[in-house]
Amino acid sequence: MEDAKSAKPRKSVGAVTQAFALLRVLSRTDEPQGVTALARAANVNPSTAFNILRTLVAENALDFDERTKDYRLSSGLLDICGNLVARTIAEEIQSDLQHIADNTNCLVGLWQANSESMELVTRAVADSPMRLDMQVHHKLPAFAGAVGRAWAAAQSFEDEQLRKGFAGTRWAGPLDADRYVAEVKMARKVGYAIDEGALHPGVVTIAAVIVDDKRRVTHGLTASDIAHRLNRDRLTELGQDLHSLAARFSGRPLA
């Protein structure tokens, strides 16, 4: 019987092969490319390349700049490839998460990022009778909590976009748009973000983000505990630890 992994298709689908050729060209450059340059580099007919590229834009695999007429890879690809990347990172980072949990009594999590939300893919809890916990696969809106601030800090968002993201998120504790924007800017400066009871009253969370080789956010790291158990010095120390851990896993290719 033929091995499914090694078997060649009886007939390749030309449009699919050409689409991957165009995507590979874009994956090897940090600069947006026009249709002519892409078609030449991928050895695809220009009119065919134009139709494929437009389809990939419609499917959120590419971004198109109307002003320059250039294409670049879209963060929407994370929605497709994210699970594969997340499984690999989750396996490698689990012992680090458990180490932080054991030493701090915090709930420590790894979140997978996409364009609209964060999903908890794995977590570590301390061996303690009194501890926080959260179900794997729990989702948060992109701008929510400490991990949402850290995610937003890694983007090139203007204040107006941050305010819109804040307004579209349900908060349980006291927080206004001005403070939210200021906290995102602080996270951009120090490398980690803090939510002090605004998302979950009585719970403080610290977060940092993992980025790929093109500086796109792929994952978030969080540490959460009951508010009164973490003083300012401990919050700073945890933030720096998460930032350092995130840096260790950053810079990897998308897939």
Side-chain angles (χ1 to χ4, degrees):
M1 183 177 294
E2 194 173 31
D3 187 345
K5 290 185 177 180
S6 61
K8 294 182 178 179
R10 295 185 179 181
K11 183 178 180 182
S12 296
V13 179
V16 175
T17 300
Q18 292 167 331
F20 272 95
L22 292 163
L23 288 170
R24 288 190 186 99
V25 171
L26 281 169
S27 73
R28 293 194 290 266
T29 178
D30 292 329
E31 298 298 324
Q33 300 287 322
V35 62
T36 302
L38 285 169
R40 185 185 304 114
N43 196 26
V44 176
N45 179 277
S47 62
T48 300
F50 176 81
N51 290 327
I52 291 173
L53 291 167
R54 284 295 184 170
T55 301
L56 291 172
V57 170
E59 293 296 333
N60 199 30
L62 298 180
D63 291 326
F64 178 66
D65 189 323
E66 291 284 355
R67 182 179 59 84
T68 64
K69 308 302 181 185
D70 287 337
Y71 297 85
R72 70 186 311 158
L73 297 179
S74 168
S75 59
L77 285 172
L78 292 173
D79 299 341
I80 300 171
C81 304
N83 285 331
L84 176 61
V85 179
R87 285 201 302 271
T88 302
I89 289 182
E91 292 171 0
E92 294 182 38
I93 206 170
Q94 186 65 47
S95 61
D96 293 289
L97 303 184
Q98 192 61 57
H99 177 76
I100 295 174
D102 289 339
N103 283 284
T104 65
N105 202 45
C106 286
L107 165 63
V108 186
L110 172 71
W111 301 74
Q112 180 183 324
N114 61 47
S115 56
E116 297 181 351
S117 66
M118 288 276 189
E119 180 178 355
L120 185 65
V121 293
T122 189
R123 90 282 188 263
V125 295
D127 184 14
S128 170
M130 292 292 291
R131 66 192 185 195
L132 296 176
D133 201 354
M134 184 178 291
Q135 289 186 337
V136 171
H137 302 307
H138 177 71
K139 290 186 177 182
L140 289 175
F143 287 88
V147 72
R149 290 174 179 79
W151 171 83
Q155 318 296 321
S156 299
F157 290 148
E158 300 293 338
D159 288 7
E160 182 180 350
Q161 292 171 290
L162 295 175
R163 291 176 184 277
K164 183 177 180 181
F166 168 80
T169 303
R170 181 178 297 177
W171 302 92
L175 183 67
D176 59 34
D178 288 341
R179 179 179 167 191
Y180 179 84
V181 171
E183 290 178 348
V184 170
K185 290 180 177 180
M186 178 58 69
R188 194 172 288 155
K189 179 179 179 181
V190 301
Y192 60 89
I194 301 174
D195 181 285
E196 298 186 72
L199 187 64
H200 301 294
V203 174
V204 61
T205 299
I206 309 94
V209 291
I210 296 171
V211 298
D212 67 12
D213 58 331
K214 300 188 187 302
R215 303 302 299 172
R216 294 170 297 207
V217 177
T218 61
H219 298 84
L221 296 173
T222 58
S224 304
D225 201 357
I226 298 170
H228 74 267
R229 295 201 292 207
L230 293 172
N231 60 31
R232 186 57 51 183
D233 290 342
R234 196 73 184 98
L235 287 174
T236 299
E237 184 179 349
L238 267 170
Q240 293 170 344
D241 288 346
L242 290 180
H243 177 61
S244 296
L245 181 58
R248 279 175 46 202
F249 285 86
S250 290
R252 300 184 177 194
L254 178 63

